[in-house]
Amino acid sequence: MLNIKSIVLFVLLASTATSNRLGEPNDDTRRLRATSVNLGTAGDYAILTKAGVTTTGVTSIIGNVGTSPIAGTAITGFGLIMDSTNLYSTSPLVAGKIYAASYTSPTPSKMTTAISDMETAFTDAAGRVGPDYTELNAGNIEGKTLKAGLYKWGGNVRFTSSLTFDGNSTDIWILQIAKNVEVGSGAQVTLSGGAIWENIYWQVSEAASFGTTSHVEGVFLVKTGITFYAGSSLNGAALAQTAVTLDTVTIANNVTIAN
């Protein structure tokens, strides 16, 4: 016969299970659904594009830069210095190497592979199913704290002043965005609880723009272009299937330096 304690325990367990089905997913469920996106050799770049990179002002990039299939002439504003091998170039603005499809072999095939890996990563992130959160706040994530998991929006995603990713160093975030990402001027992304930018994937099916003096974190897999306005910054990677435009920007990606 069930005693009172057994009955109470049964009711509490049932209530918890119902809550997990109807409300927010628990931590175990989130971690199962959001697993890392394999960037392949695209992960070797702080900036990787198919249509070039342009900068104005005093930009600072820590990490490698690459573009393909467009030629190195589409990398402008960097004061490129060609290495004696013609395999890569350098720039006073870049702590890393700069690669283009027009450089000496085997650089063209290296870049073709990197671009293919970028497109594969985009498709992987876009194809994840079973989102933990759908249409969160109709895309207005201003002031939100995002726990690890898979997020999905059918329109634009924007925030005007703050956004926080809260989780540990092994947690994964994948943000599936069907249109644009719009980050307001001065807006700041903060990581808490040990979260790291390498585990935050923004899959953007249109364009991304970062307002003046804004700061963002993560890997941006963007179908079209990425625009950084004056004084904006990124800890992470800007991987665009068209062009990246910079204006006095700081991008830090120490992960790529060794490659």
Side-chain angles (χ1 to χ4, degrees), residues 86-241:
N86 290 320
L87 295 175
Y88 62 89
S89 58
T90 59
S91 165
L93 306 181
V94 180
K97 297 176 180 178
I98 302 167
Y99 298 92
S102 55
Y103 291 177
T104 297
S105 180
T107 297
S109 62
K110 172 189 177 83
M111 296 313 305
T112 297
T113 299
I115 293 295
S116 176
D117 288 347
M118 174 179 73
E119 293 172 333
T120 298
F122 178 93
T123 300
D124 174 19
R128 300 295 179 95
V129 297
D132 301 300
Y133 304 92
T134 302
E135 306 299 342
L136 178 66
N137 219 47
N140 181 4
I141 54 176
E142 164 61 31
K144 295 294 183 183
T145 296
L146 304 185
K147 297 294 185 180
L150 176 60
Y151 293 75
K152 185 178 182 67
W153 290 274
N156 296 328
V157 167
R158 63 196 179 279
F159 59 98
T160 56
S161 65
S162 67
L163 176 67
T164 300
F165 291 89
D166 180 56
N168 63 45
S169 62
T170 61
D171 282 340
I172 306 292
W173 291 259
I174 299 176
L175 284 61
Q176 298 173 328
I177 301 161
K179 293 189 177 179
N180 302 293
V181 166
E182 302 164 353
V183 178
S185 294
Q188 302 290 305
V189 171
T190 301
L191 306 184
S192 65
I196 58 176
W197 68 257
E198 295 95 324
N199 291 339
I200 301 170
Y201 302 93
W202 303 73
Q203 178 269 311
V204 185
S205 291
E206 292 188 5
S209 63
F210 309 127
T212 57
T213 69
S214 64
H215 174 75
V216 291
E217 304 256 351
V219 177
F220 285 83
L221 292 157
V222 180
K223 185 68 173 178
T224 60
I226 304 176
T227 302
F228 292 82
Y229 289 99
S232 57
S233 61
L234 162 68
N235 288 337
L239 311 179
Q241 294 188 38

